C-alpha cells in the first residue's frame, strides 16, 4: 500500500491583499506539501475561520489595524496549529519572536526565507508539536504585547516605572501605596480601582479589595492561611472571592 503523502493545511491572515497574494504565490511552489485552505484580510473573520477550519499552520500578520496578531490568537478556541509570523517590522520580530516562534517572515517575503520556513514546518509532524509551538509563540507575543513601562502620578509629577519594579499595590482610602522591588514606597493620588486600570491585567491581579499583586512576584501560596508570599517576603491575603481566579492565573 502506498503511504498517503502528508499535506499541511495553511491559512494566511493579513490585512493587505497584496501581501496575501505575494505569500500565496510563493507557497504554491510547495503544493506537494502545503495547501492554502483559506485567506483572510479581516482578523475577526479569521478567528471564526481558524476555529472552524482547524488548520495545521497559520501565517499571521502581527500588525493589523483592526486587531493585533496577539489579540487574534487570544480569542481563538482552536490552538493546535503552528504559527509563522509575518511582519514589516524587523526589530519587532527579532525582539518578540525570534527565539520562540516557528519562524517569521519579513515583508516583502523572500524566496529563500520561505524555503527555510517550509523545511522547518516539515519537521513538525503531529498536532502535539503544533500545540507546543503555538504555546511558545503565544507566550512570546504576550510578553511583547504587554507594556513595559507604566505612568504613575506622584506628588504633582508623573513617574515612569518599569512594570517589573512593582511588587504590589495597597489601598489607602482615596490614595494607593505602590511598593517597589527596591523597598521604596510611593503614595499615589488615585484609588486602587483607578490604579488597577493603569496596570496591565496580564501581569497584575486584584487579589483582595485592598491589594493588587504582580503575579510574577508570587513566591508561595499558603493555602491553610489564605496568603501569598511575594518576592519582598510580604504576606498578602487572598480573598475568598478571588481565590479561584488567582489559582487559574497561576496555573
Amino acid at each position: 500500500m502506498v503511504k498517503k503523502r502528508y499535506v499541511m493545511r495553511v491559512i494566511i491572515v493579513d490585512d493587505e491583499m497584496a501581501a496575501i497574494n505575494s505569500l500565496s504565490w510563493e507557497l504554491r511552489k510547495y503544493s506537494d506539501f502545503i495547501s492554502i485552505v483559506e485567506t483572510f484580510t479581516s482578523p475577526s473573520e479569521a478567528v471564526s475561520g481558524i476555529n472552524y477550519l482547524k488548520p495545521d499552520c497559520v501565517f499571521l500578520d502581527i500588525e493589523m489595524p483592526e486587531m493585533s496578531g496577539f489579540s487574534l490568537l487570544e480569542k481563538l478556541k482552536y490552538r493546535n496549529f503552528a504559527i509563522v509570523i509575518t511582519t514589516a517590522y524587523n526589530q519587532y520580530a527579532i525582539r518578540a519572536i525570534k527565539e520562540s516562534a516557528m519562524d517569521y517572515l519579513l515583508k516583502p517575503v523572500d524566496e529563500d526565507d520561505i524555503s527555510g520556513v517550509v523545511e522547518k514546518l516539515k519537521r513538525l509532524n503531529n498536532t502535539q508539536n503544533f500545540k507546543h509551538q503555538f504555546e511558545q509563540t503565544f507566550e512570546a507575543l504576550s510578553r511583547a504585547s504587554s507594556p513595559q513601562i507604566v505612568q504613575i502620578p506622584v506628588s504633582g509629577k508623573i513617574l515612569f516605572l518599569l512594570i517589573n519594579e512593582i511588587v504590589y499595590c495597597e489601598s489607602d482610602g482615596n490614595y494607593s501605596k505602590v511598593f517597589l522591588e527596591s523597598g521604596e514606597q510611593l503614595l499615589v493620588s488615585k484609588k486602587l480601582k483607578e490604579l488597577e486600570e493603569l496596570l496591565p491585567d496580564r501581569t497584575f491581579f486584584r487579589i483582595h479589595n485592598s491589594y493588587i499583586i504582580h503575579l510574577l512576584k508570587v513566591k508561595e501560596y499558603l493555602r491553610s492561611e489564605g496568603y501569598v508570599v511575594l518576592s519582598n517576603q510580604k504576606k498578602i491575603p487572598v480573598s475568598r472571592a478571588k481565590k479561584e481566579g488567582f489559582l487559574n492565573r497561576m496555573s
Side-chain angles (χ1 to χ4, degrees), residues 4-17:
K4 186 177 180 180
R5 182 187 303 165
Y6 174 74
V7 176
M8 177 169 275
R9 301 170 67 254
V10 164
I11 283 176
I12 301 173
V13 183
D14 197 304
D15 64 300
E16 297 178 356
M17 198 65 220

Side-chain angles (χ1 to χ4, degrees), residues 3-246:
K3 186 176 181 180
K4 186 177 180 180
R5 182 187 303 165
Y6 174 74
V7 176
M8 177 169 275
R9 301 170 67 254
V10 164
I11 283 176
I12 301 173
V13 183
D14 197 304
D15 64 300
E16 297 178 356
M17 198 65 220
I20 288 178
N21 291 338
S22 176
L23 181 56
S24 298
W25 189 82
E26 291 290 347
L27 289 176
R28 288 192 180 103
K29 297 177 183 178
Y30 304 92
S31 58
D32 61 330
F33 172 65
I34 286 178
S35 172
I36 301 171
V37 294
E38 191 57 273
T39 66
F40 296 95
T41 55
S42 165
S44 56
E45 290 179 7
V47 170
S48 299
I50 291 169
N51 284 333
Y52 177 72
L53 293 169
K54 298 179 172 53
D56 302 313
C57 178
V58 172
F59 285 75
L60 176 66
D61 180 11
I62 52 175
E63 296 288 336
M64 295 179 286
E66 179 188 333
M67 186 190 300
S68 72
F70 173 73
S71 297
L72 184 153
L73 296 175
E74 202 172 28
K75 294 177 182 294
L76 290 173
K77 293 181 179 179
Y78 179 75
R79 298 186 169 195
N80 288 3
F81 59 86
I83 305 165
V84 178
I85 298 299
T86 63
T87 177
Y89 303 98
N90 189 8
Q91 185 177 359
Y92 182 96
I94 290 173
R95 184 181 76 247
I97 56 176
K98 186 174 182 181
E99 299 303 323
S100 298
M102 175 65 228
D103 214 328
Y104 66 92
L105 293 170
L106 294 178
K107 300 176 186 177
V109 294
D110 178 86
E111 183 177 358
D112 291 338
D113 291 340
I114 291 279
S115 177
V117 166
V118 170
E119 288 305 312
K120 288 183 181 180
L121 288 172
K122 287 180 178 179
R123 294 195 287 270
L124 287 180
N125 56 7
N126 59 60
T127 55
Q128 189 61 37
N129 285 340
F130 297 157
K131 184 177 181 181
H132 177 67
Q133 193 275 329
F134 178 100
E135 290 169 351
Q136 282 187 312
T137 307
F138 185 79
E139 177 62 27
L141 288 175
S142 175
R143 290 194 301 270
S145 300
S146 297
Q148 301 303 306
I149 293 176
V150 64
Q151 300 179 29
I152 303 290
V154 177
S155 302
K157 59 186 177 183
I158 296 177
L159 293 183
F160 297 91
L161 296 177
L162 291 172
I163 292 296
N164 207 41
E165 290 184 77
I166 302 172
V167 180
Y168 73 99
C169 306
E170 181 180 357
S171 175
D172 188 7
N174 288 328
Y175 294 82
S176 300
K177 296 175 183 175
V178 177
F179 295 83
L180 307 181
E181 279 282 8
S182 63
E184 187 179 359
Q185 175 183 321
L186 305 174
L187 185 63
V188 180
S189 55
K190 285 185 178 293
K191 292 182 179 181
L192 196 64
K193 179 175 177 58
E194 296 174 287
L195 191 57
E196 183 180 13
E197 293 172 354
L198 293 177
L199 299 170
D201 59 10
R202 295 190 192 99
T203 312
F204 291 88
F205 184 74
R206 183 83 173 266
I207 202 166
H208 186 279
N209 282 343
S210 298
Y211 295 97
I212 298 170
I213 62 169
H214 191 308
L215 292 170
L216 297 180
K217 306 294 183 181
V218 176
K219 298 300 181 184
E220 294 180 85
Y221 171 50
L222 308 175
R223 288 184 297 178
S224 59
E225 300 178 38
Y227 285 88
V228 293
V229 180
L230 303 179
S231 59
N232 62 355
Q233 303 308 309
K234 174 71 176 180
K235 291 172 69 175
I236 302 290
V238 183
S239 73
R240 290 183 180 180
K242 298 291 186 177
K243 177 182 174 182
E244 183 178 354
F246 165 69

